[in-house]
Amino acid sequence: MLVAAGVFPHPPVLVPGVAGHRAADLDGMRANCELAVTRLFDNDPDLVVVLGGDDRTACHGSDVTGTLAPYGLDMTFGDGSARLPLSLTIGRWLLESHIDRAAREFHSVAWNATPAECFRLGERIADRAARVALLVLGDGSACRTERSPGFLEPDAVAYDDHVAEALRCGDTTALAALRPKTADRLLVAGRPAWQVLAGAASERSPSGELLDYSAPYGVGYFVATWLFDSAFPSSGRSEPDRAETRAE
Amino acid sequence: MRTTVRFRGRDLGAQRPLVMAIVNRTPDSFYDRGRTFEFDAALSAVDEAVADGADIVDIGGVKAGPGTLVGVDEEIERTAPFVTEVRRNFPELVISVDTWRHEVGRAVCVRGADLLNDTWAGADPKLVEVAAEFRAGYVCSHTGGAVPRTRPHRVRYEDVVRSVVEETTRQAERAAEIGVPEDGILIDPTHDFGKNTRHSLALLRHTDQLVATGWPVLMALSNKDFVGETLGTELSERVTGTLAATALAARDGAAVFRAHEVRQTRQVLDMVAGIAGEREPASTVRGLA
């Protein structure tokens, strides 16, 4: 059962040594990330699941290494045998100072997973332990301005605003309904991971808080926490049907 | 060891590294920002580049980065008549055109262009066929598969140098197979295209590995973002960093340098050649009178 979730950005520049003297640009966001990670552990999870997008859906276990070498940086986190994709590498880095506080697993979800597939994966992840905390890596649009990596798409900021509101409100329905085609067009890296979160939280009543929402380099970044009143799971699982309906 | 390069019979030899002057017939390119968009301004820029020591002029009709769409007809209109005029003014000058479209390549080769600078790495596979048909030169680039006019976003390489060597030599061999003259083929690691700053720096650090392929290496470094990020400088303060990169790449054997600042680049290359003992000083009277 899910007891807490956090949503985090996963650009390489989140790691302080990456950006050189511009590292300070993200100091505030890093502080909010640390706050959100701490809240996950404050809920006494038996298992922390780190979840992010990749080319394929896979469980990497706990014996893992994250590396930024493919991005030209000699930085690694952990010394396990499985090599993590970027999203989970940043997740591994976020856990660095909490690494021995709970058991952990690293799961990737395919960029092209359908909303329904994501939702079901979330349900399975939530069932992996009595008290599961989910660390979700996902970014908004990279097409927010003419200076964005993906240049300007006029609806990108509105899209990110919609996601930010869903994260702030703990709105699983809104996340489950995000359309893959739109997310792909807007270079949104978070869509599958957020939809896994929606599945994992589907039986609960999330109390959301949006700790950060900004785009200093033209890509939407979010930091949010979802906490749950463990005594009163909400009823019904309507979201999978909705996700199936909206899948394209 | 530099090899002889020759484009449609115009022999540039192997004696010294070459300067390819950038002349953009664009209103929006990142550095010149439309300064040579007008036909006459661009012609003056060619005159100046030749006077400053350019061996090649590279004419562009579409800015590299994202922005206003420029159709095939518009790109031809910007480049082809201009090639005609430059050819008329400079019968022996090597004229390169920076394009990824085969229709543009054909239009400019008909009018006398010698070299097709395919900066987007064969995004249009027919472009190299045009080079072969006209026996023109061809630049083999590396973009990591990027779509033309897009920026890099979290691009990753297991080994960026190996990726560049493999991709550019594969293209060069393919170009030669289909009839592009071997001595008119250049390989270009294509700094900033599909790469972050650390990738671009690694490619300069390992210039020797590119040179060791045996294909002449074109370095297009001029005022690019990787220079600005390395020094923490804005666009107006990238010349010094560009020239430092130019000097080291020249020392390691790169053959051609695409540049905005032709005169300074020529001086750097001559100085490097002087230090290497490959070029006689222009004069040596000091202490010898």
Side-chain angles (χ1 to χ4, degrees), chain A residues 10-11 18 55 70-73 83 139 146-149, chain B residues 66-67 151-158 196 198-199 232:
Chain A
H10 62 85
V18 171
D55 296 333
Y71 305 89
L73 294 140
R83 187 164 145 177
D139 289 330
E146 289 188 1
R147 297 181 68 83
S148 291
Chain B
R151 296 183 179 126
H153 182 46
R154 302 180 187 176
V155 286
R156 60 185 196 263
Y157 298 96
E158 284 303 304
N196 66 37
R198 290 169 197 274
H199 293 142

Side-chain angles (χ1 to χ4, degrees), chain B residues 59-289:
Chain B
I59 297 161
V62 182
K63 80 174 278 198
T68 308
L69 293 180
V70 179
V72 171
D73 292 345
E74 172 68 16
E75 188 182 353
I76 290 174
E77 182 57 32
R78 289 180 183 184
T79 53
F82 187 69
V83 168
T84 300
E85 191 65 11
V86 173
R87 174 55 69 228
R88 196 175 66 79
N89 293 348
F90 297 98
E92 296 309 314
L93 180 65
V94 173
I95 300 174
S96 169
V97 173
D98 179 350
T99 185
W100 77 88
R101 291 165 163 154
H102 77 275
E103 300 93 335
V104 178
R106 171 174 296 282
V108 297
C109 282
V110 164
R111 289 163 177 80
D114 305 297
L115 174 59
L116 296 177
N117 183 9
D118 186 2
T119 307
W120 292 100
D124 176 350
K126 292 182 181 170
L127 182 59
V128 66
E129 295 170 14
V130 172
E133 178 185 338
F134 287 88
R135 306 285 292 165
Y138 180 74
V139 176
C140 305
S141 304
H142 174 279
T143 63
V147 172
R149 306 193 64 194
T150 59
R151 296 183 179 126
H153 182 46
R154 302 180 187 176
V155 286
R156 60 185 196 263
Y157 298 96
E158 284 303 304
D159 181 336
V160 68
V161 177
R162 191 177 69 205
S163 175
V164 167
V165 166
E166 288 178 356
E167 173 61 19
T168 57
T169 56
R170 185 191 64 74
Q171 286 183 47
E173 286 160 11
R174 152 95 176 135
E177 268 173 30
I178 68 168
V180 178
E182 282 203 30
D183 54 7
I185 296 171
L186 306 176
I187 64 169
D188 175 6
T190 327
H191 285 73
D192 273 4
F193 283 55
K195 297 166 193 80
N196 66 37
T197 290
R198 290 169 197 274
H199 293 142
S200 289
L201 292 174
L203 287 164
L204 276 162
R205 198 176 308 130
H206 298 290
T207 298
D208 58 332
Q209 292 186 36
L210 308 180
V211 171
T213 64
W215 296 101
V217 175
L218 165 67
M219 285 289 186
L221 311 170
S222 198
N223 297 295
K224 283 186 171 175
D225 282 354
F226 83 92
V227 175
E229 285 206 333
T230 300
L231 296 179
T233 55
E234 296 303 319
L235 196 54
S236 60
E237 287 192 86
R238 297 180 182 179
V239 175
T240 309
T242 299
L243 295 175
T246 298
L248 292 176
R251 184 195 60 183
D252 289 343
V256 185
F257 292 84
R258 184 175 182 272
H260 297 102
E261 280 78 17
V262 172
R263 185 177 175 79
Q264 289 104 309
T265 303
R266 182 75 265 159
Q267 287 179 345
V268 165
L269 297 177
D270 286 350
M271 194 68 202
V272 169
I275 293 166
E278 296 169 354
R279 176 184 180 275
E280 279 294 301
S283 66
T284 47
V285 174
R286 179 182 167 82
L288 297 174

